[in-house]
Amino acid sequence: MIASSTFRQGSYAAAVAILLALTGVFGKLDERQVVTGAITLSMVLLAIMLCGAGLMTASRVKERGIVAMLFNGILGSLIVGAGLALVMLVENAIDLTFVFAELKTDPITPVLTFGQTLSSGIILLLVLSALAGAISGALLSIPSEARQIILLSLALTASVGLLEAQIKSINTLPDALAVVGVLGTGYLVAINQMQRSSLVRLGLGLGIGAIVGIVLGLIANGGGFGTGSRLLSAPGILSQVIVFALIGGMGSAVAATQRNIHNGTLFVVGFLLSIGVLNWQNSMNWIATLLILIVFATLFWLMPRLTAEASSRFETQPRPERQVNQRFSLLIVLLVMLVAPLFLGQYITSIFDLVGLYIIMGIGLNIAVGYTGLLVLGFVAFFALGAYTVGTLTTPSLLTCGGILPADIARADIPTICTGVMTFWQAWPIAVIVSMLAGVVLGIPVLRLRGDYLAIVTLGFGEIIRLITLSGDFKPIFGGAQGIGNIPVPVVDLTFLNPAWRFELGSAFNIYYLILFGIVITAFVAYRLGSTRLGRAWRAIRADEDVARAMGINLTRAKLLSFAVGAGFAGLGGAIFGSWLQGIFPNSFTVLVSINVLALIIIGGLGSIPGVMLGAVILVGLPEILRELQDYRLLAFGVLLVVVMLARPEGLIPPPVRRLSEQVDSATPQQGKA
Amino acid sequence: MVRRLLVVFVLLLIAALGVTAYAQDAAPSVTVTADGQVVIGLAAALSGEGLAPFGEDIQRGAELALEDRPTVTVGGIEFPVSLDPQDDQCSAEGGQAIANRFVSDASVVAIVGPMCSSACRAAAPILDEAGYSSVSPSCTAPDLSTSEFSSFNRAVVSDAFQGRVAAQFIFDVLGLTSIATIHDGSAYGEGLVNVVTASFEALGGSVVAADAVNVGDTDFRGLLEDIVAAEPELIYFGGFAAEGARLVQQLKNDVDGGEIVFMGADGIKGGEFPGLAGADAEGVYTSSSIPSDANKEAVDALLARYTEKYGIEPTGPFQVNSYDATNMILDAIEAVGVVTDGTLTVDRAALSEYLRSIEGFEGLTGTLNCDGTGECSAADIGIDIYAADGSLSTVAVGSPGDDNSIVVTASEG
Amino acid sequence: MASTASQPATTSGGDGVSLAQRIIKLLRNPLQVAGLVIVIFLVWTIIQNLTGLAAAGRPLSVERIIRVIIFGLAQGSIYALIALGYTLVYGILSMINFAHSEVFMSGAYIGFFAIHWAEQSGLLYSNTALALLITVTVGMAAAVTIAVLLERIAYRPLRGAPRLVPLITAIGASIALQQIFLRLFGSATRVYPEVNFYVLPQLFRLECETIDGAEICKGMDLINGRYDVQLLGMELQLRPIFFVVFFLAVLMMAILWYIVRRTKIGKAMRAVAEDRKTASLMGINVDRVIVSTFILGAALAGAAGVLFALYNTQVSPFMGFTPGIKAFTAAVIGGIGNIPGAMFGGLFLGVTESLAPTLLGMSSQLEDVIVFGLLILVLIFRPTGIFGEVLSEKKA
Amino acid sequence: MSLLEVHDIHTFYGKIHALKGISIKVEQGQIVTLIGSNGAGKSTTLNTICGITPAAEGKILLDGQDITRVPAHQIVTRGVIQSPEGRKIFMRLTVRENLEMGAFTRNDKAEIARDMDFVFTRLPRLKERIWQLGGTLSGGEQQMLAIGRALMARPRILLLDEPSMGLAPLLVEEIFNIIKGINEQGVTILLVEQNALMALEIANQGYVLQSGEVKLADDADKLLDNDEVRKLYLGEV
């Protein structure tokens, strides 16, 4: 009945839970509410701990039937609950606060006893543990699809609860309903008209969207929605018609696309609806929570069914039709990316900006590490060089003021003396070139080294650059610890077209497009380079240097180019970073940045561009969103690195095995194996 | 291919234009319903190496302020106040992220923080654009108040003033003419040392050696040998407790520097430094803005409450500044808030204007007068000396005199 | 792994090549010429500085230089002890155990609780030797526990995965360990108590007091004492702790050397390092040998942590990072995988780091620039480190 | 009961099905040889027996005891010793240390010393080089060291993988003489060889492997006479 694994797994889980409890995590997260007035983040954490243990232990006895699962699940959760109870007893018996300092301010007992006395609190905790175990056991015995739906929708609902304040005002319920309604109508019409060509379907979608737009616009103008809707209170009926026509068209276009687009659209729909609900209720109360949970559950239930149908529709189309649809899909993705900031709000957009910067760097580092197999641990150096180049060139500095220290120039004279000051557009190519040159200069002495020697030297180089920018000896150029301030933001000046069109790309919204464009360019260049002769040479070097040399590849040249291109991308990232922050400080360029970039390309899947993107979202975006967890973010980051690597050593999206690399392999001469 | 890229570029441009046209103006005011809360954001380094304890001080200072004043009363109605603390990691990126986060939360009325000057500088343009106001308890970089940010205010004395007082104290009160400087490579430490160097040389003293250390390094003995060889009478240190304590210890125990006076600023003031340096802390000078005599008791009471509530001594001095900053914001809300039908409306522009023109605010750090550039600190800088048991006693007070001059008076006894 | 044995026909120059030929060969490589130019420039700068300082009336006294070298040797000994751990693990698994710096930190940090307990209970004063022994043992035990857990959880499941994968788990584990310590034990820096450890009262008649007419001496204080010493006609003020650290480090390295060269487990380590599969055919339990390697390295790092904390007093969860990076650099300079190399590299780095800013007239902020510059310079002339075998280039 | 019985083992390298049901019997005191072309699965068979690449299916019995799931280092203690292909001696250990490695699982110092003497009488060339590093030996000496090292474990059954590979003909002869001598001392030998002719000449039993399967199994002298074997593996036209 009781599996021996239950005790082992249970005590592992209990050990982790106790360790976390001793960090005072329950006290710290107790103030943060996920569901207003009811569920705090520490309760969520407790539930995760208890159910996690229950799921772990119950899954070990899966083949023995539901009773065994329930029993072992309860036992597993109880072990964790008992462990936590034990900690509370110890906490009350002896003073732990000298060793476990955080318990001083965040003791465990008040939180885990739920305001009861110690004894009744412990009983309550144990009862809850048993309950959690039973739930876990029961969860495991229902079909796996249902289980996934439940767990995923719970997780997404919790994250909406966490970000409540930041996303609440993104869109209103009427907006969400209108958008989803039009999208759905376009979709359904397209499915009904599957036999027609995709262009006709698209036209139908556009038309229906336009009609709805007119109707809604009329109602809105008549005051039908009050002030509740942002989209519908937009000026002029025409813009509403255009917007809704596009949405309807999108719905019809999605109808026959591949799985990913479908899933993505469904996610967007889900988030729109749940934010709408949240906005309507104005806080994450029970009603909002339940509704959002239902929205997500429905979504996850629909997802496999709809996508299965959609892919079959996609497959059955004739070839040219399919191509048209693929183009549509790409266009949709691009369109969504383009209008995303409108819906995401400033905070989420700024996170996207940061993720984007890391994607640019990741694509660059991927060329050195993923394509060529050069382990670079000091990538931040090139990032810093890009930022500092733009910083010095776009502000009054020794370089731009003809060798005179700006501090020695009277404020009024600065414009006349510092004539060398450039705009961002003039400076960024120089930043890229400087970074590339630095790549070459560093590359020449160290590329003879292999593997880990290269790693430590590049790590050292990263530190050298940071320390030089920091040091007093170079203060006149780099500003020392004070960094470079007041860097102008990039300006798009189209006043010759329209006097109002002068755009300062300073806000999170505007810089988003600059970064997006940077990503498009770097991804494009990296992708194309991958399939050139040079790209093949890189992959050959990665596979086996000696063989590559035997095949006549100029190792030094190929490696240097790989280094230089990667460095150039980092320089571009740095250039954008500098002008985005409008100030540069040496402390932004620590080794942690290098580690972050390296980790994200490896977690994403070495050598794969989609992998870089996913990795950046996970390693950069997630910690930003979880700023709530404050101190635990870095801990979670570290644990995540270990866990992902243990679970998927090849990364989350490994690159497809290219025919090119197969060619390299088959071209490997026999002596290579000997 | 190039054509496709061009298409993408044009699309991007169009979208950017669209977004700019569509992007909503920041709400010019905050509304709090009768059952709602007034949310004050707080940005400080709450994680990371070395500086997190200072950030916690700041957070706790604000918490204590709210404990004393859990509600704001406007038009006879009390609205509860809550704090939204976020981690700014003491970095530019962190400051920027926090600023973006706060401005996309329409319920945040104003912000205590950020903690470090780099974060303040990165956050200010974003807060400016959104019309938010911030009061930093610890951003001391001199140029923050001269950069024409509309959102930036500070309830802490600028390094420019503190450094000048320190220089004058060394020259006039201690009567020393040759010093050496060391900073820790932080914007704070370097900035402070720059001011001290300039002021000290202007007074006629000489800086015989200048060096810097890296945060996290432990062995400063070689550096100290060099400095001692230059025979300064005093070493001025710009930085925080960990490096300061190491420097003092190694100066006194490992190199022949026993006679050299060691002086730092508010970075090494508080409970942490004597804890780290042990007996070697004796005779070390620090400086920080100090309460007027009238407030001394209140400050001591606050520190006692801090210790009682959190079980540890405060690490540095900034919890007092944070306490003041919070109260300034609450005052401002009460002053400019308008209640209609039980709903509180705070106009952001009015709030900002009020904060910038505060006169005679009786804070724990002294009487705060805001000069319209965001400079709101109390005027006096106190210089203290550590005793063997780690306690502090004030030896001199620096206050602004006429004509941008500074008067440093040695305390009796 | 560890071997300084000569490889036939792999190293250039050894057999009968004249000095002139070797120089010509050196000059043929433009990179090495550039390196040589840099070296000459550095030497020139140093001489300039020495004479320049002398001209400015601030001569660099020999006493000062000797003292700085002694400081450097102590710091270098700590680096060396940590570097040995990197080198052992690298030798056997060909991976950078990035989390080793946290193993060092955990030794110092957990050791704090032991010494704090000893201080509270008075043992530290009544029986200092025992208290210190307990502290070191606790520190080593903590470090070993952490290292064994690391190996078991983060590295063993990935044996056979691509090389970068365990590197990432190592980095992740390093961050996670730092954060766990930070969160468990709080962000406040902990401080080791001041310890006075008096030895040999008969030999060192220091700090004597006369009680009832009889002179009673405490002896030499090994940890906190500071004494004037006459050395080669110079008057030097020295703390014995620096020599204690140095000699303990040398002693521990000697023990390690003995273990690796002479004992059965040591030979098994070398066998596993060379060929894991064949070693298992000999009946060697490869996993166990790898764990023993981690244990050995961790024990050294733990001891280094406690020693380090005894004279630098502050311990914090982040204290491992900088020494860790430096120690790894030292291991690479010495030739990674090589035990005497790690030892030499550590000492060399320690001395350079404390002496170079003075000699080159640079700010000590740029100390690490010198360290890493030195690394690049060394690798230009010897791509596998000073003691590294040319053979290992193939493996790296 | 045979000393070693291999029943229908299947082994995979990732997705590659390397052994597709191999069965072998080795009687006490015999020399049994596995012959076959490159990639036929000969070395894999040995590695599977030793536990280095464990079998996915099938059974391996030693003295009737199942050793299929026993880890590699424990199989050694049961007397199954492999001398791996390509003379995998430890290049950076001395000859003496190499031999000591062979006796790693044993703790009886006196016996080990005696065995070392025995190895030196069998392979006198090693004795001259006792303090040299393994990497400095010539190819033939390395092979001798590999065999000597295996003997140090006191094998009940010695698995030899390609002992003649890469050696000059004269040396091959010498190695085969040594193998025969060892066998005469009572050590059972399972020999994998490319040099089928010589292997079959000294063996009692022979198995012909092809693409992971046993194609022929017979007495060694009968295999020598088998036409197909002669044509395919003995190089006769």
Side-chain angles (χ1 to χ4, degrees), chain A residues 565-633:
Chain A
V565 173
F569 287 1
L572 176 66
I576 299 176
F577 178 77
S579 56
W580 175 42
L581 272 185
Q582 300 173 37
I584 311 172
F585 304 90
N587 291 344
S588 301
F589 305 103
T590 58
V591 67
L592 209 65
V593 176
S594 303
I595 287 176
N596 228 338
V597 183
L598 183 68
L600 74 87
I601 65 172
I602 292 175
I603 284 209
L606 210 50
S608 125
I609 292 176
V612 170
M613 297 183 181
L614 184 65
V617 169
I618 291 176
L619 288 192
V620 182
L622 218 55
E624 270 306 321
I625 291 186
L626 296 182
R627 206 166 259 282
E628 218 56 65
L629 304 178
Q630 289 177 6
D631 316 327
Y632 292 92
R633 284 191 304 153

Side-chain angles (χ1 to χ4, degrees), chain A residues 340-347 349-350 353 505-514 580, chain B residues 16 19-20 23-24 129:
Chain A
L342 269 182
F343 296 97
L344 291 178
Q346 189 163 347
Y347 179 53
T349 308
S350 74
D353 295 341
L505 304 188
S507 76
F509 292 120
N510 294 333
I511 205 84
Y512 174 89
Y513 292 96
L514 186 62
W580 175 42
Chain B
V19 168
T20 317
Q24 318 107 29
E129 194 176 313

Side-chain angles (χ1 to χ4, degrees), chain C residues 133-153:
Chain C
L133 193 68
I134 290 174
T135 307
V136 172
T137 315
V138 168
M140 287 168 94
V144 166
T145 313
I146 299 276
V148 170
L149 281 176
L150 257 180
E151 196 273 337
R152 191 73 193 79
I153 297 171

Side-chain angles (χ1 to χ4, degrees), chain C residues 114-142:
Chain C
I115 202 166
H116 179 79
W117 167 81
E119 189 197 15
Q120 295 292 312
S121 67
L123 183 69
L124 190 59
Y125 307 107
S126 59
N127 192 343
T128 315
L130 180 65
L132 289 179
L133 193 68
I134 290 174
T135 307
V136 172
T137 315
V138 168
M140 287 168 94

Side-chain angles (χ1 to χ4, degrees), chain C residues 12-274:
Chain C
S12 62
D15 28 299
V17 185
S18 77
L19 189 67
Q21 276 171 310
R22 284 175 68 178
I23 291 174
I24 289 168
K25 202 174 164 209
L26 203 69
L27 289 181
R28 218 174 287 155
N29 185 336
L31 207 57
Q32 297 193 340
V33 175
L36 220 56
V37 170
I38 293 173
V39 171
I40 292 166
F41 175 75
L42 287 181
V43 171
W44 182 75
T45 317
I46 290 171
I47 294 169
Q48 283 281 309
N49 252 300
L50 290 178
T51 52
L53 279 178
R58 271 205 262 140
L60 265 176
S61 64
V62 184
E63 287 92 337
R64 194 171 136 203
I65 290 184
I66 287 182
R67 271 215 303 270
V68 173
I69 289 178
I70 290 170
F71 298 147
L73 277 179
Q75 188 78 4
S77 308
I78 301 288
Y79 293 159
L81 285 177
I82 308 173
L84 287 171
Y86 279 113
T87 255
L88 282 169
V89 169
Y90 189 90
I92 206 155
L93 286 179
S94 292
M95 71 165 275
I96 307 175
N97 179 11
F98 227 89
H100 191 60
S101 49
E102 268 51 64
V103 172
F104 162 79
M105 177 274 287
S106 63
Y109 210 110
I110 304 293
F112 164 78
F113 292 115
I115 202 166
H116 179 79
W117 167 81
E119 189 197 15
Q120 295 292 312
S121 67
L123 183 69
L124 190 59
Y125 307 107
S126 59
N127 192 343
T128 315
L130 180 65
L132 289 179
L133 193 68
I134 290 174
T135 307
V136 172
T137 315
V138 168
M140 287 168 94
V144 166
T145 313
I146 299 276
V148 170
L149 281 176
L150 257 180
E151 196 273 337
R152 191 73 193 79
I153 297 171
Y155 303 153
R156 193 181 296 181
L158 291 171
R159 226 159 271 162
R163 270 166 29 86
L164 282 178
V165 173
L167 179 74
I168 293 296
T169 56
I171 291 173
S174 165
I175 296 173
L177 276 172
Q178 255 179 33
Q179 294 296 320
I180 288 173
F181 269 73
L182 179 70
R183 304 273 56 104
L184 270 184
F185 304 126
S187 52
T189 306
R190 311 254 181 172
V191 184
Y192 268 50
E194 254 182 39
V195 188
N196 297 304
F197 183 32
Y198 297 101
V199 293
L200 300 173
Q202 299 81 15
L203 211 59
F204 298 99
R205 304 189 66 77
L206 300 158
E207 295 194 36
C208 297
E209 35 186 339
T210 318
I211 300 170
D212 299 337
E215 197 184 34
I216 294 172
C217 293
K218 283 186 179 167
M220 182 162 69
D221 181 356
L222 273 187
I223 294 176
N224 258 321
R226 185 152 187 263
Y227 304 102
D228 291 329
V229 183
Q230 290 282 341
L231 196 74
L232 302 171
M234 289 178 286
E235 176 111 340
L236 286 176
Q237 279 225 318
L238 292 173
R239 280 178 71 178
I241 181 74
F242 297 115
F243 297 94
V244 172
V245 171
F246 177 67
F247 286 121
L248 281 180
V250 172
L251 180 72
M252 280 191 261
M253 196 210 82
I255 294 173
L256 180 72
W257 181 249
Y258 176 81
I259 291 176
V260 170
R261 301 305 313 185
R262 288 281 172 267
T263 64
K264 203 167 167 180
I265 187 77
K267 287 174 194 167
M269 282 177 190
R270 281 150 61 208
V272 171
E274 204 173 308

Side-chain angles (χ1 to χ4, degrees), chain A residues 288-326:
Chain A
T289 311
L290 276 180
L291 282 176
I292 292 172
L293 202 59
I294 291 170
V295 166
F296 281 122
T298 321
L299 196 82
F300 285 118
W301 179 77
L302 271 177
M303 206 169 268
R305 287 160 183 77
L306 283 183
T307 48
E309 251 184 77
S311 348
S312 76
R313 277 198 297 275
F314 180 75
E315 298 299 332
T316 50
Q317 289 174 102
R319 244 192 118 67
E321 281 285 290
R322 248 195 270 182
Q323 269 188 354
V324 172
N325 266 312
Q326 263 168 338

Side-chain angles (χ1 to χ4, degrees), chain D residues 6 14 19 61 63 68 84 99 115 128 134 152 155 158 162 190 216-217 225 235:
Chain D
V6 175
L19 299 185
L61 301 179
D63 277 339
T68 323
L99 291 175
D115 284 357
E128 300 157 20
M152 289 297 294
L158 181 59
E162 308 270 10
L190 178 58
L216 278 170
D225 293 337

Side-chain angles (χ1 to χ4, degrees), chain A residues 203-537:
Chain A
L204 278 172
L206 285 170
I208 287 165
I211 293 168
V212 176
I214 293 171
V215 174
L216 286 178
L218 286 175
I219 300 176
N221 278 4
F225 297 103
T227 54
S229 164
R230 192 166 296 141
L231 251 188
L232 301 178
S233 59
I237 231 170
L238 187 66
S239 65
Q240 278 160 22
V241 170
I242 293 176
V243 167
F244 281 101
L246 277 175
I247 294 172
M250 210 181 270
S252 64
V254 170
T257 53
Q258 291 125 304
R259 197 174 293 263
N260 295 341
I261 304 283
H262 237 86
N263 286 347
T265 315
L266 275 174
F267 267 114
V268 172
V269 164
F271 275 108
L272 281 179
L273 283 176
S274 48
I275 293 169
V277 168
L278 186 61
N279 191 315
W280 168 51
Q281 286 291 319
N282 205 22
S283 78
M284 194 73 178
N285 54 20
W286 276 115
I287 304 173
T289 311
L290 276 180
L291 282 176
I292 292 172
L293 202 59
I294 291 170
V295 166
F296 281 122
T298 321
L299 196 82
F300 285 118
W301 179 77
L302 271 177
M303 206 169 268
R305 287 160 183 77
L306 283 183
T307 48
E309 251 184 77
S311 348
S312 76
R313 277 198 297 275
F314 180 75
E315 298 299 332
T316 50
Q317 289 174 102
R319 244 192 118 67
E321 281 285 290
R322 248 195 270 182
Q323 269 188 354
V324 172
N325 266 312
Q326 263 168 338
R327 296 248 166 89
F328 276 151
S329 324
L330 259 179
L331 201 70
I332 291 171
V333 171
L334 199 63
L335 266 177
V336 170
M337 295 304 291
L338 289 180
V339 298
L342 269 182
F343 296 97
L344 291 178
Q346 189 163 347
Y347 179 53
I348 308 283
T349 308
S350 74
I351 292 174
F352 266 65
D353 295 341
L354 195 65
V355 170
L357 274 182
Y358 272 89
I359 290 178
I360 294 178
M361 281 200 279
I363 290 174
L365 184 61
N366 212 354
I367 290 182
V369 183
Y371 288 10
T372 324
L374 303 168
L375 180 48
V376 180
L377 263 183
F379 202 57
V380 69
F382 307 117
F383 184 59
L385 280 171
Y388 267 96
T389 310
V390 162
T392 42
L393 291 181
T394 57
T395 55
S397 68
L398 264 190
L399 284 176
T400 51
C401 299
I404 307 168
L405 257 185
D408 299 337
I409 308 170
R411 256 199 171 291
D413 286 342
I414 282 185
T416 52
I417 296 179
C418 301
T419 47
V421 175
M422 298 181 178
T423 66
F424 173 79
W425 307 108
Q426 294 164 321
W428 79 260
I430 302 179
V432 171
I433 290 169
V434 167
S435 300
M436 289 179 88
L437 283 180
V440 174
V441 168
L442 174 69
I444 289 172
V446 304
L447 282 181
R448 288 197 306 153
L449 311 173
R450 296 191 187 202
D452 304 317
Y453 287 78
L454 185 62
I456 188 72
V457 170
T458 49
L459 184 119
F461 183 67
E463 283 293 285
I464 288 178
I465 295 290
R466 185 179 70 83
L467 288 171
I468 284 180
T469 57
L470 181 63
S471 88
D473 301 0
F474 296 89
K475 193 173 162 64
I477 305 177
F478 300 123
Q482 310 294 329
I484 300 176
N486 299 326
I487 299 173
V489 297
V491 173
V492 178
D493 194 350
L494 298 178
T495 40
F496 60 92
L497 291 175
N498 181 334
W501 286 1
R502 186 175 184 281
F503 303 101
E504 291 195 353
L505 304 188
S507 76
F509 292 120
N510 294 333
I511 205 84
Y512 174 89
Y513 292 96
L514 186 62
I515 291 172
L516 195 61
F517 187 58
I519 295 175
V520 170
I521 289 207
T522 43
F524 176 76
V525 171
Y527 181 77
R528 298 290 289 199
L529 272 178
S531 48
T532 56
R533 248 178 68 84
L534 186 61
R536 287 197 294 273

